[in-house]
Amino acid sequence: MKLNILISTYNQGIDNVEKIVAIKRHDIEYKVSHQVTDEKYEIIPASLKRNDIDVMQSRGRGISKNRNMSIDMASGEICLIADDDVTYLQLGLEKILAEFKKDPNLDVLVGQIQTPSGQPQYKKYPQHEKRLGYASIGGVSSIEIAFKLRSIRDNNIRFDERFGIGSNMYSRGEEIIFLGDCIKKRLKVKYFPIPFVCHEYQSSGKKCVYNEEDAKYYGALLMRIFGKFAYLLLVVIWIKHHKYFKAISLNKYITSFSEGIHSIMRKSEG
């Protein structure tokens, strides 16, 4: 079983990729999708000119577009989604492959991020494996996701390029939509307490105040995942998060949420 690590990078980030590809094994290949907006970043480092590394460059930006290109490059049975600021644990990669071998029906695996020694845990993880549904995908990061390539391609699942960093619509939510599409297609999405990727701890703090743009984002996100059921979820989101919407009134929240819904409807119709 071949494992592909799909690395998305942008401009000078290509110089960081060398540390990601440190593990050399016959069953691991690296697919690097490199977006450039300036020709000075088009030079590929000599350290990446290896038989187990493929690099494809494209003009433009947008993390979802970048990830889709890396999926198009993939050829292995199992794929991991990677950024240019991570490293990998060999034992963790072996455990991921073992889970896919053990369960032929497993389509998507969600694992854990490990932080360097001395740093706090990246996030609080469940201790036991479990199947994931719509209610449990909100906190998943892209770099925690592994998937069976055939399952994704056969179901025509892509990252929605209207969402994610670099998008001209919404700068987040792309991984939630990706997993939501997997669940909608009845793929088996399962969490395992397996640390396999390393990333620095990031303490951005909890956002205590949501504004109109946040309400609009929730409307767009839920419309994208659930269609017109998003109108019903408007109430659920308000009940769950109303204490964070301190800066806007209920009427403004409803208006902004609805604008988000309609932004996705208009884009879909166009």
Side-chain angles (χ1 to χ4, degrees):
M1 185 175 282
K2 185 81 73 174
L3 175 67
N4 281 183
I5 296 179
L6 311 182
I7 304 168
S8 294
T9 188
Y10 174 74
N11 280 345
Q12 66 268 33
I14 190 71
D15 294 327
N16 299 329
V17 173
E18 181 179 3
K19 66 181 181 181
I20 306 172
V21 300
I23 298 175
K24 298 180 182 180
R25 290 171 49 126
H26 73 280
D27 55 354
I28 295 178
E29 293 178 349
Y30 301 91
K31 308 294 182 180
V32 184
S33 176
H34 180 212
Q35 290 178 326
V36 293
T37 57
D38 191 314
E39 62 182 12
K40 68 183 179 183
Y41 299 119
E42 291 180 352
I43 299 174
I44 298 173
S47 60
L48 303 186
K49 295 178 180 179
R50 291 178 1 204
N51 291 335
D52 60 340
I53 302 174
D54 292 329
V55 181
M56 183 173 291
Q57 295 180 316
S58 63
R59 285 281 175 174
R61 63 194 303 265
I63 187 63
S64 289
K65 184 180 294 185
N66 209 346
R67 297 211 192 286
N68 286 336
M69 180 173 289
S70 70
I71 292 174
D72 291 339
M73 296 172 65
S75 58
E77 291 93 332
I78 307 302
C79 298
L80 296 181
I81 300 173
D83 288 328
D84 60 16
D85 57 354
V86 301
T87 55
Y88 285 93
L89 302 169
Q90 183 159 286
L91 180 59
L93 299 182
E94 292 172 357
K95 288 182 178 179
I96 286 175
L97 289 174
E99 293 297 342
F100 278 103
K101 289 177 182 176
K102 184 167 67 176
D103 183 359
N105 295 317
L106 180 62
D107 299 297
V108 181
L109 180 151
V110 174
Q112 296 181 352
I113 299 169
Q114 178 173 292
T115 51
S117 178
Q119 294 188 12
Q121 187 179 22
Y122 195 86
K123 66 175 75 168
K124 186 175 181 180
Y125 288 105
Q127 296 183 355
H128 305 287
E129 63 186 62
K130 64 175 183 177
R131 186 141 183 185
L132 299 182
Y134 290 116
S136 50
I137 58 175
V140 176
S141 302
S142 294
I143 59 174
E144 294 169 330
I145 299 172
F147 58 82
K148 190 179 295 180
L149 181 60
R150 176 179 291 180
S151 300
I152 298 304
R153 285 187 173 163
D154 286 353
N155 287 280
N156 196 30
I157 295 172
R158 311 280 288 173
F159 280 89
D160 192 322
E161 295 179 8
R162 296 170 294 184
F163 293 80
I165 295 172
S167 163
N168 59 7
M169 290 190 70
Y170 300 98
S171 63
R172 50 186 165 141
E174 74 282 359
E175 56 272 276
I176 302 174
I177 293 170
F178 181 85
L179 292 176
D181 286 348
C182 291
I183 294 168
K184 190 181 300 181
K185 294 288 187 176
R186 301 185 182 280
L187 299 186
K188 186 173 184 180
V189 181
K190 195 171 180 182
Y191 162 81
F192 291 86
I194 299 173
F196 68 88
V197 60
C198 297
H199 192 284
E200 295 283 336
Y201 176 75
Q202 293 179 335
S203 179
S204 57
K206 289 188 176 180
K207 189 174 183 180
C208 297
V209 179
Y210 289 173
N211 57 28
E212 295 169 29
E213 284 302 311
D214 292 299
K216 186 176 178 181
Y217 160 73
Y218 275 116
L221 178 72
L222 296 176
M223 180 65 192
R224 172 58 181 77
I225 296 174
F226 299 107
K228 293 185 179 180
F229 283 107
Y231 286 105
L232 299 177
L233 294 170
L234 178 153
V235 178
V236 175
I237 294 298
W238 177 260
I239 292 172
K240 185 176 180 180
H241 297 294
H242 74 276
K243 63 181 178 180
Y244 299 121
F245 284 104
K246 298 175 181 178
I248 61 175
S249 66
L250 176 58
N251 286 340
K252 198 65 180 176
Y253 163 78
I254 293 173
T255 299
S256 299
F257 192 99
S258 299
E259 286 177 1
I261 289 176
H262 288 288
S263 72
I264 296 301
M265 293 174 65
R266 287 193 299 270
K267 197 72 175 179
S268 298
E269 291 168 357

